[in-house]
Amino acid sequence: MTLLSLFKNSNLKNPQTLIWSEDDFVNDYLARSYAAEDKFKDFDKVIVDCENDGLDELIAELTESSLFSKQKLIIVKNPFFLTAKVAQKFKKQTKQLEDIFAHINEIEDIVILIASYEKIDRRKKLTKTIISNFNVVEPKIKSYEVSAITKSIIKEEGYNISQAALQLLIERSDQVMDAILSNYIKLKMVAEDNRITEKSVVQNVDLSLAQNIFAILDSAINKNYSEAINRLNDQLREGINPIQLLAVFENQIELILVVKILAERHRTETQIVKELGVHPYRVKLALKNRLNIEKLEELLEEAIKLDYNYKNGTYVEDNFLKMFVLRV
């Protein structure tokens, strides 16, 4: 089985592959995983970056035989010829690529196209040719799917992770898939007997900025102002300025407020997750928050005013931000 099977595929049996989503890190991770499969172990691995190496280099790799007559696995990065913005000067090369990809199944080499774009131009004949002759994989992950996809990737790669460790990994990665995979790579390196534990996550994955801000808010809500200010000072010492911190404060407070309003309108937890498109754990935490809607609205208004005053230069010192935390 392959990691590609966890996502939408047009034809999983076709080894010629187009991986298409906006997330370059996820696309690259899947491409490297696919290229590392046993069936390609005897292939010569070639990487062509169309933006840096040019289309002539790609055409040469696709049409020239290997010196030792070995099959090649060609990983193609930045295939800009799939997008709408292709300069007229590439007309000749795009026509050549169109001919090559129309007969891709007649060559022994395998091609993996990594298209990290929001959109591709499906109207172009070249794009239509590729879509017809390649397995199109779309690893577009919704926020509420992050946990299940992460768990499946870890299981597929032969590792075990407890539910608590999985949740902590996702939390500390801000529910962002590329951050999760980046942290997971670190955890694989220190895993004993292919087991990833909660202790391992605590020791090897730092709290994200959003996690630290949440901890500051949580301490302040619980009237533990000393801890809240100490955590805030830690962030300031690390060079994070008040404007950056306020942006995250506003995001956190706004999410809690919206979740509370939707819950008051009798939306279920599942409905709120899908309506807002956020990770279920963030919604669960927001629902547990003890501040009422009026207090949250007041805090959000204060945070926005504070942000404005820092940005226009009225406030410079950190003390105004600390006073805000003490008023939570």
Side-chain angles (χ1 to χ4, degrees), residues 24 28 46-59 61 74-81 90 112-114 116-117:
D24 185 54
D28 190 59
V46 178
I47 298 176
V48 179
D49 186 324
C50 295
E51 289 183 358
N52 296 323
D53 303 323
L55 297 186
D56 287 333
E57 177 67 21
L58 173 59
I59 291 166
E61 288 294 347
I74 305 167
I75 298 174
V76 184
K77 295 189 173 185
N78 299 311
F80 62 83
F81 49 80
F90 295 116
I112 304 173
L113 298 168
I114 306 174
S116 302
Y117 306 114

Side-chain angles (χ1 to χ4, degrees), residues 85-324:
K85 297 179 180 178
V86 181
Q88 187 67 20
K89 66 180 181 180
F90 295 116
K91 186 175 181 180
K92 178 185 174 183
Q93 288 99 323
T94 53
K95 182 65 177 72
Q96 286 178 280
L97 287 171
E98 187 183 307
D99 293 338
I100 293 167
F101 289 135
H103 301 91
I104 192 71
N105 294 327
E106 296 173 17
I107 65 174
E108 293 186 339
D109 297 334
I110 301 299
V111 179
I112 304 173
L113 298 168
I114 306 174
S116 302
Y117 306 114
E118 181 184 0
K119 295 179 180 179
I120 57 177
D121 190 351
R122 292 175 175 267
R123 299 167 300 174
K124 290 161 60 171
K125 189 174 180 182
L126 175 54
T127 307
K128 289 179 180 178
T129 299
I130 290 170
I131 290 173
S132 297
N133 290 284
F134 279 65
N135 174 31
V136 182
V137 185
E138 297 182 55
K140 298 175 182 180
I141 306 165
K142 296 181 174 64
S143 55
Y144 57 84
E145 298 173 328
V146 166
S147 181
I149 291 292
T150 303
K151 188 173 183 178
S152 296
I153 288 173
I154 292 171
K155 182 180 179 182
E156 184 60 35
E157 292 192 335
Y159 288 82
N160 293 306
I161 187 168
S162 67
Q163 189 59 38
L166 175 65
Q167 190 61 63
L168 189 59
L169 168 61
I170 293 169
E171 286 172 40
R172 291 200 171 191
S173 306
D174 276 345
Q175 297 88 38
V176 177
M177 201 67 213
D178 55 356
I180 291 169
L181 289 175
S182 180
N183 287 323
Y184 166 53
I185 290 168
K186 290 190 287 185
L187 293 169
K188 285 196 290 185
M189 294 173 67
V190 297
E192 295 183 7
D193 299 323
N194 283 14
R195 298 189 66 83
I196 298 171
T197 63
E198 191 174 2
K199 181 180 178 182
S200 177
V201 178
V202 170
Q203 290 176 338
N204 295 283
V205 181
D206 294 331
L207 285 174
S208 67
L209 177 58
Q211 279 284 299
N212 276 303
I213 297 301
F214 178 83
I216 292 168
L217 275 174
D218 194 48
S219 297
I221 289 167
N222 291 314
K223 309 301 179 187
N224 192 344
Y225 294 115
S226 177
E227 181 180 322
I229 295 300
N230 285 338
R231 286 181 178 274
L232 180 58
N233 283 332
D234 287 342
Q235 297 305 300
L236 292 166
R237 276 194 294 269
E238 287 181 16
I240 302 170
N241 64 52
I243 293 173
Q244 290 173 291
L245 292 168
L246 276 165
V248 186
F249 270 119
E250 288 172 43
N251 180 271
Q252 296 268 18
I253 295 167
E254 187 176 26
L255 176 67
I256 297 168
L257 175 60
V258 173
V259 168
K260 292 264 188 176
I261 290 171
L262 289 174
E264 198 173 67
R265 293 175 182 173
H266 307 294
R267 301 287 207 287
T268 66
E269 191 173 321
T270 302
Q271 287 172 330
I272 294 172
V273 167
K274 294 208 170 180
E275 194 162 335
L276 297 182
V278 298
H279 191 271
Y281 186 74
R282 294 187 72 192
V283 173
K284 192 179 291 291
L285 288 178
L287 289 170
K288 288 181 180 178
N289 189 282
R290 295 188 308 208
L291 296 180
N292 60 39
I293 289 174
E294 291 74 21
K295 179 63 175 177
L296 288 164
E297 287 175 335
E298 178 189 320
L299 284 173
L300 184 57
E301 187 177 348
E302 281 187 48
I304 292 169
K305 287 180 181 177
L306 197 57
D307 184 44
Y308 176 77
N309 284 324
Y310 271 114
K311 284 177 178 174
N312 68 19
T314 302
Y315 294 161
V316 179
E317 300 294 327
D318 302 333
N319 290 338
F320 297 100
L321 180 57
K322 293 176 183 177
M323 287 169 63
F324 167 75

